[in-house]
């Protein structure tokens, strides 16, 4: 390792140590002494859990859908292109998966997706905001990085317990191991990182839409790798989950949900016409962002977004919000930054008007275990007319 890289590593570790000390000072260090958690072997949290893609046809479907989306994306305005916070992620981390998908290289795509939780293709969709590969996947996990991971994990699990008032069991947090996940252990049960966050918001959405009659429709803007869609689909028997995202993220969501739900009717972009009847014909629909204008008016019982709106340009936000509001029949629910933003802050998205009223705004404290200065809030709006 060169002297410059070594000095950068020393500085990075110093900053991590100082930040972690501020966390334990603010939240207390006793959190690491919980008897419910297995602390004796941090390597178990990051051991290889890779499992094979259950059906090779999944890769073919994902590649075909992606390539059609990339071809058509070019004809749409800048609001539907990669920008703002996602542009540097694409430039630095997405090259391998874009090449594999774009060249219809099934073997390379399969290799990446079977390991996506540890690959660059999922940067920004999960994990701590540090160099995950060096800190955790190299096989040499320092005591500091071990404490950081466990502190954050225990905090998030404890927060989930408090928010859900112990209504759920550990088994409710279980997710299929597609993507080779890492995580933590509670009473010897492995919990995929981020499962508690995804499960909580899925359960909140279920509560909000439970009184709606007939088939329920939930629209998510920016579904990550499909975690929220997984829990919602598992919780609700008569539901259509519709996700809109950039083509690369859309492809990852498609891979995870196709692998997790072989018995569900899942529509990918280009396989059938996306229209007003699609939500009746399919259980899961995964579309590129430029298909948003095809959403029918008042089709969604609830629209959800987690973090990504505040990461978009003002032009993109002002393009998406009116479309989503038009499609939203009842609830508009989102979690976003209120101070740190690349464009509009969460308070300024323009959702509240004479048709939508803000019902609740409260801190989303999920990241408090890693940042005591977090600025995320969850907003719930309801259509009033």
């Amino acid at each position: 390792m060169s002297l410059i890289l070594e000095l950068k590593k020393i500085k990075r570790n110093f900053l991590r140590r100082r930040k972690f000390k501020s966390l334990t000072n603010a939240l207390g260090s006793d959190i690491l002494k919980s008897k419910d958690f297995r602390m004796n072997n941090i390597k178990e949290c990051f051991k290889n859990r890779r499992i094979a893609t259950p059906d090779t046809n999944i890769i073919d479907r994902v590649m075909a859908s992606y390539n059609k989306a990339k071809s058509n994306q070019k004809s749409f305005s800048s609001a539907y292109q990669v920008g703002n916070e996602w542009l540097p992620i694409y430039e630095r981390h997405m090259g391998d998966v874009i090449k594999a998908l774009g060249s219809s290289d099934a073997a390379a795509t399969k290799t990446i997706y079977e390991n996506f939780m540890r690959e660059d293709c999922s940067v920004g969709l999960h994990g701590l905001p540090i160099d995950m590969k060096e800190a955790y996947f190299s096989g040499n996990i320092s005591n500091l990085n071990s404490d950081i991971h466990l502190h954050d994990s225990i905090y998030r699990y404890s927060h989930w317990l408090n928010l859900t008032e112990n209504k759920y069991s550990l088994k409710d947090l279980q997710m299929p191991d597609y993507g080779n996940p890492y995580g933590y252990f509670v009473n010897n049960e492995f919990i995929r990182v981020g499962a508690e966050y995804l499960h909580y918001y899925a359960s909140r959405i279920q509560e909000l839409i439970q009184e709606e009659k007939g088939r329920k429709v939930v629209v998510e803007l920016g579904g990550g790798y499909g975690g929220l869609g997984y829990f919602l689909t598992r919780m609700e028997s008569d539901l259509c989950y519709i996700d809109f995202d950039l083509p690369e993220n859309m492809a990852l969501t498609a891979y995870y949900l196709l692998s997790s739900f072989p018995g569900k009717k899942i529509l990918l972009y280009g396989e059938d016409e996306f229209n007003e009847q699609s939500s009746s014909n399919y259980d899961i629909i995964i579309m590129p962002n430029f298909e948003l204008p095809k959403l029918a008016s008042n089709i969604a019982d609830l629209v959800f977004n987690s973090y990504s709106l505040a990461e978009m340009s003002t032009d993109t936000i002002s393009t998406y919000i009116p479309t989503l509001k038009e499609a939203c029949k009842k609830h508009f629910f989102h979690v976003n930054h209120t101070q740190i933003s690349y464009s509009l802050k969460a308070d300024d998205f323009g959702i509240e008007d004479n048709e939508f009223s803000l019902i609740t705004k409260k801190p989303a404290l999920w990241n408090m275990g890693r940042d005591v200065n977090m600025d995320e809030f969850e907003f719930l709006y309801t259509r009033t007319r």
Side-chain angles (χ1 to χ4, degrees):
M1 183 182 292
S2 70
L3 178 60
I4 293 176
L5 290 176
E6 184 65 33
L7 289 173
K8 284 183 177 180
K9 182 177 180 181
I10 291 171
K11 180 181 179 181
R12 190 164 62 245
N13 286 336
F14 170 76
L15 293 174
R16 289 178 191 167
R17 209 170 275 113
R18 186 169 68 179
K19 185 174 182 180
F20 185 64
K21 185 176 181 180
S22 70
L23 281 171
T24 54
N25 286 341
L27 300 177
S29 58
D30 288 345
I31 195 170
L32 290 172
K33 300 176 184 178
S34 171
K35 294 181 180 179
D36 293 336
F37 294 81
R38 258 171 54 186
M39 306 299 178
N40 58 333
N41 191 358
I42 186 67
K43 290 184 179 179
E44 277 290 300
C45 297
F46 293 91
K47 80 171 187 178
N48 191 337
R49 292 181 173 80
R50 188 173 192 143
I51 57 176
T53 304
D55 183 352
T56 55
N57 184 51
I58 289 173
I59 299 296
D60 294 334
R61 289 180 65 185
V62 169
M63 291 189 304
S65 177
Y66 169 80
N67 281 304
K68 182 158 189 176
K70 286 303 286 184
S71 176
N72 292 338
Q73 183 186 34
K74 300 171 186 176
S75 63
F76 287 86
S77 71
S78 61
Y80 298 102
Q81 309 302 319
V82 180
N84 272 42
E85 188 169 341
W86 277 99
L87 186 57
I89 290 177
Y90 269 59
E91 292 174 343
R92 298 171 193 167
H93 302 288
M94 302 292 280
D96 288 345
V97 75
I98 288 174
K99 180 180 178 181
L101 289 165
S103 61
S104 296
D105 187 335
T109 300
K110 181 174 179 289
T111 297
I112 292 172
Y113 277 168
E114 287 181 353
N115 199 49
F116 74 74
M117 289 288 282
R118 303 164 194 244
E119 297 283 344
D120 285 348
C121 68
S122 60
V123 167
L125 302 180
H126 63 88
L128 297 170
I130 56 178
D131 186 342
M132 295 295 293
K133 285 188 175 180
E134 179 184 352
Y136 296 107
F137 303 144
S138 65
N140 182 27
I141 303 173
S142 69
N143 290 336
L144 173 63
N145 285 330
S146 173
D147 285 349
I148 289 173
H149 172 70
L150 291 171
H151 189 277
D152 180 62
S153 299
I154 296 169
Y155 171 83
R156 291 169 74 92
Y157 176 74
S158 301
H159 189 51
W160 173 77
L161 284 178
N162 290 333
L163 288 176
T164 59
E165 299 176 334
N166 296 304
K167 288 188 294 187
Y168 300 98
S169 70
L170 280 173
K171 293 193 179 298
D172 291 308
L173 291 180
Q174 299 302 308
M175 301 179 72
D177 278 349
Y178 298 113
N180 199 359
Y182 57 93
Y184 56 97
F185 288 86
V186 182
N187 295 329
N188 294 321
E189 292 282 345
F190 176 73
I191 306 299
R192 187 187 189 111
V193 70
E196 64 293 303
Y197 174 91
L198 296 166
H199 179 273
Y200 168 71
Y201 282 107
S203 66
R204 278 289 290 126
I205 291 170
Q206 185 184 42
E207 290 172 0
L208 288 167
I209 65 175
Q210 66 180 344
E211 294 183 359
E212 301 303 315
K213 297 179 180 179
R215 187 168 179 80
K216 300 172 179 65
V217 177
V218 173
V219 170
E220 182 173 16
L221 177 66
Y225 67 85
L228 182 86
Y230 168 77
F231 280 118
L232 276 172
T233 301
R234 195 178 77 182
M235 290 175 176
E236 281 287 337
S237 59
D238 194 10
L239 170 87
C240 179
Y241 166 77
I242 309 176
D243 175 50
F244 294 92
D245 213 330
L246 293 165
E248 287 72 22
N249 294 344
M250 172 200 80
L252 182 58
T253 299
Y255 173 79
Y256 187 73
L257 294 180
L258 283 168
S259 299
S260 300
F261 295 112
K264 293 290 185 181
K265 295 186 66 177
I266 300 177
L267 172 63
L268 305 189
Y269 179 66
E271 295 182 337
D272 193 2
E273 183 67 25
F274 174 55
N275 54 37
E276 191 170 355
Q277 287 73 47
S278 298
S279 60
S280 298
N281 298 332
Y282 293 94
D283 303 306
I284 297 171
I285 300 172
I286 304 168
M287 291 288 127
N289 54 351
F290 54 79
E291 287 287 277
L292 262 172
K294 290 187 178 180
L295 272 175
S297 298
N298 296 318
I299 194 171
D301 296 292
L302 185 143
V303 170
F304 183 74
N305 174 258
S306 177
Y307 293 110
S308 60
L309 273 167
E311 299 166 354
M312 300 174 189
S313 68
T314 302
D315 177 46
T316 300
I317 295 170
S318 62
T319 299
Y320 287 175
I321 292 295
T323 302
L324 291 168
K325 287 170 65 177
E326 177 69 20
C328 183
K329 180 168 57 178
K330 192 68 179 288
H331 302 291
F332 198 125
F333 191 26
H334 73 90
V335 185
N336 274 286
H337 299 287
T338 56
Q339 295 176 28
I340 303 168
S341 174
Y342 281 70
S343 54
L344 291 178
K345 299 172 184 177
D347 293 292
D348 302 324
F349 288 163
I351 300 172
E352 188 171 22
D353 57 15
N354 60 350
E355 294 185 338
F356 282 87
S357 294
L358 178 63
I359 304 302
T360 60
K361 172 189 174 183
K362 61 182 181 180
L365 302 176
W366 293 96
N367 290 324
M368 187 69 78
R370 66 178 71 160
D371 183 5
V372 292
N373 298 313
M374 49 69 62
D375 74 319
E376 298 109 16
F377 283 75
E378 62 178 62
F379 297 76
L380 175 63
Y381 300 84
T382 296
R383 180 179 283 279
T384 54
R385 71 172 195 174

